[in-house]
Amino acid sequence: MHIRDDKSSKGLHHRTARPRQPTDLATPEAELSKLPYTNCRTRILNLKHLPDIPTGKDVSDEQYREIFQRYLDAKRHSSSFHANASDNSVRDEANKNAGLEESQLLRSAIQSLTTGIAPPVAFPTETVYGLGADATNGASIAGIFAAKGRPGDNPLIVHVSSVAHLEKCLGGTETDSAIPKVYRELIDQFWPGPLTILVPVPEDGKGVKFAPNVHPGQKTIGFRLPKSPYARFLIAVADRPIAAPSANSSGKPSPTTALHVKEDLDGKINFILDGGECKVGVESTVVDGLHDPPLILRPGGLSKRDLREWGIKQGNIWQHVQNGWEYKTGVKRKREAVTDTVHPATKTSKAAHNDSDGANVYDSPTIQTPNNEHSDLELESDISAAPRAPGMKYKHYAPSGRMFLFEAPSRCSIEARTKAVYDKLGELLNARKPEPNRAHGSPKKLEDEVPTHHLTIGILTSVSWPELAGLQEEWHQLYPAWSDASAPRHLSGHGPAHYSLSKPADVEGLPAKDVQLYGIPLGKDSESIAQNLFAALRTCDALSCEWIFVEAPSSGDASTEQDNEEFETVLERMRKAASEITKV
Ligand code: TXA
Ligand code: MG
């Protein structure tokens, strides 16, 4: 067909080739990852029905596959045996068939990982639940980004079922390892477990070909061998390296139960494999051993102290491991500046949370610079403008309510700690007073003194705050006319303490208002706090807490920074979730 090219032909129906725009070059995967799956029927499959899965370090992939085959055979056999038997009750039959159905659904879940035409599958690990897809299939990986709403530049961790599996992925063998030397003793010690190592992307023709969207913009891939036997079993049976971020919607707290996953991804994925509550509760520690000294790019389930102590014992380079996540990157961000506003009782740093730029980029409210000679800042020239772990620049773990974090050194008295909370409460309530009365100083009326609608506050305590941080008593001091609507009570065994206050309806003819206080104890040691933190933040969402007061844990007798060593991982998560940090 002839296309006329002269300018006078305006108005004629023809198309001329327009210059190619950069967006035209977008890969189909990038396009796919913008299309969330919808209308999936999300099912939770209970993995506790599986036979005992061995956990030992040396369990081979082949053993896991054999266990699965035997399990399927047994289910098929018991069902056909049952179908032929005449004396079983209808109810037994239903149960057997349910068992068969469960095994077939598990098979479908695994098949959807291997065929790569279905949404990703959520599965348990010992840290948090992951959202898995075949790391060699770009379209499947795009499905992860779509389901989570994850920014496309944030690389994924690839999960393997054994060290032999990692070797296979990298093109190595038992006698000729392709795993960088710096990691070999390390993984021998800490795998399976909450540790992710960065390894150069295998060259073309070596090992397996990873989908480029697993490691966008990175020359390395993060690998992890999880400790959860369910995770290893699943990966071995799928016989694929499985890329998996945490199975939450981007920005939300990571899920530590199957129900948390359902809260975020219901209708977007088909299968959630339920292995019970995650034992560790925070994500893996991401380390870069290709850097000298090695860096921790994300603190996690394996502590820096454990890494260093083991490195000292072995006399290897891991004794020098440094924090690498606190880099000031110099990236220009569309955010309000970090400001320090001095409050009478406390110094408050406001975290700049801003969703309006659409990228959910996070700015740390306080930027710390280690002062030893191997300071992280000295290494700064070594890094590009992007953070070494791109995920660390994104807003994370945030509950829907405003979270206020209170950090105090351990030498601080209980009175000073709780006073900071009461001052904050007073400040927040003050800010809720009706605008005109504040502006024009009209006579004091009751409604000036009280919240203007129902108010729910979550209080997450750790090592030293009393239950509810003593807020119920403080409330009586602030508003003596109010009465207790209920005595403190625990909602369930270890669940939140609930205390409700109300203003009587007949006071000055105003309608009754109420305040609900929910206290959630996180535990007193770093392991318990790690295990409970994300679930507690989700509970605050479920209770519609408008404000959430959180006690940052501290121990020891020195300065806050030293105090915090043991609590480094949970503090990093708390700081990221916080809207505001108050240094007491
Ligand atoms: O415990 C865990 O690590 C969980 C479970 C499911 O295994 N996974 C997890 O993945 O937390 P995700 O995607 O939520 O966090 C991965 C973090 C991000 O901060 C990402 O930027 C960083 O690891 N990361 C992954 N690959 C990287 C790479 N090649 N270079 C630098 N950082 C990387
Ligand atoms: Mg995550």
Side-chain angles (χ1 to χ4, degrees), residues 128 148 150 154 245-248 252 254 283 298 396-397:
V128 299
K148 275 183 66 99
R150 182 179 175 104
N154 194 2
S246 47
N248 51 290
K252 285 278 152 205
S254 299
E283 303 87 340
R298 178 181 68 180
H396 254 80
Y397 317 121

Side-chain angles (χ1 to χ4, degrees), residues 4 14 32 63 125-126 142 145 168-169 185 187 217 270 292 300 324 336 341 348 363 390 397 399 404 519 533 551 578:
R4 281 171 52 185
H14 74 269
L32 268 176
Q63 275 171 278
T125 82
E126 76 282 16
F145 287 88
K168 200 166 122 193
C169 290
E185 275 185 325
I187 62 177
N270 286 330
D292 186 7
E336 48 185 289
T341 55
T348 305
D363 254 349
Y397 317 121
F404 300 89
L533 178 64
E551 178 194 359

Side-chain angles (χ1 to χ4, degrees), residues 443-495:
K444 267 196 164 187
K445 286 196 290 200
L446 189 68
E447 63 264 50
D448 290 351
E449 297 288 337
V450 297
T452 50
H453 58 82
H454 301 286
L455 176 63
T456 305
I457 305 176
I459 303 128
L460 274 49
T461 57
S462 63
V463 293
S464 57
W465 283 5
E467 186 165 83
L468 295 161
L471 269 188
Q472 70 280 32
E473 284 125 39
E474 182 60 19
W475 197 272
H476 287 304
Q477 304 235 343
L478 282 169
Y479 306 117
W482 284 47
S483 61
D484 292 359
S486 77
R489 64 191 166 89
H490 288 270
L491 297 184
S492 65
H494 299 289

Side-chain angles (χ1 to χ4, degrees), residues 125 127-130 148 150 154-157 159 196 198 215 218 220-222 224 244-246 282-284 286 297-298 388-392 396:
T125 82
T127 56
V128 299
Y129 274 73
K148 275 183 66 99
R150 182 179 175 104
N154 194 2
L156 305 175
I157 292 173
H159 298 66
T196 295
L198 294 196
H215 54 93
Q218 305 293 321
T220 56
I221 298 179
R224 177 161 118 75
S246 47
V282 287
E283 303 87 340
S284 62
V286 179
L297 302 191
R298 178 181 68 180
R388 293 180 74 87
M392 298 299 278
H396 254 80

Side-chain angles (χ1 to χ4, degrees), residues 182-199:
V182 67
Y183 293 125
R184 290 188 208 150
E185 275 185 325
L186 181 80
I187 62 177
D188 193 42
Q189 174 71 18
F190 294 110
W191 271 9
L195 170 72
T196 295
I197 58 170
L198 294 196
V199 171

Side-chain angles (χ1 to χ4, degrees), residues 406-429:
F406 295 85
E407 293 188 17
S410 57
R411 61 172 182 272
C412 199
S413 68
I414 298 291
E415 289 72 28
R417 286 160 194 258
T418 46
K419 181 171 184 310
V421 183
Y422 307 153
D423 285 343
K424 177 54 67 183
L425 176 69
E427 187 189 312
L428 290 168
L429 290 172

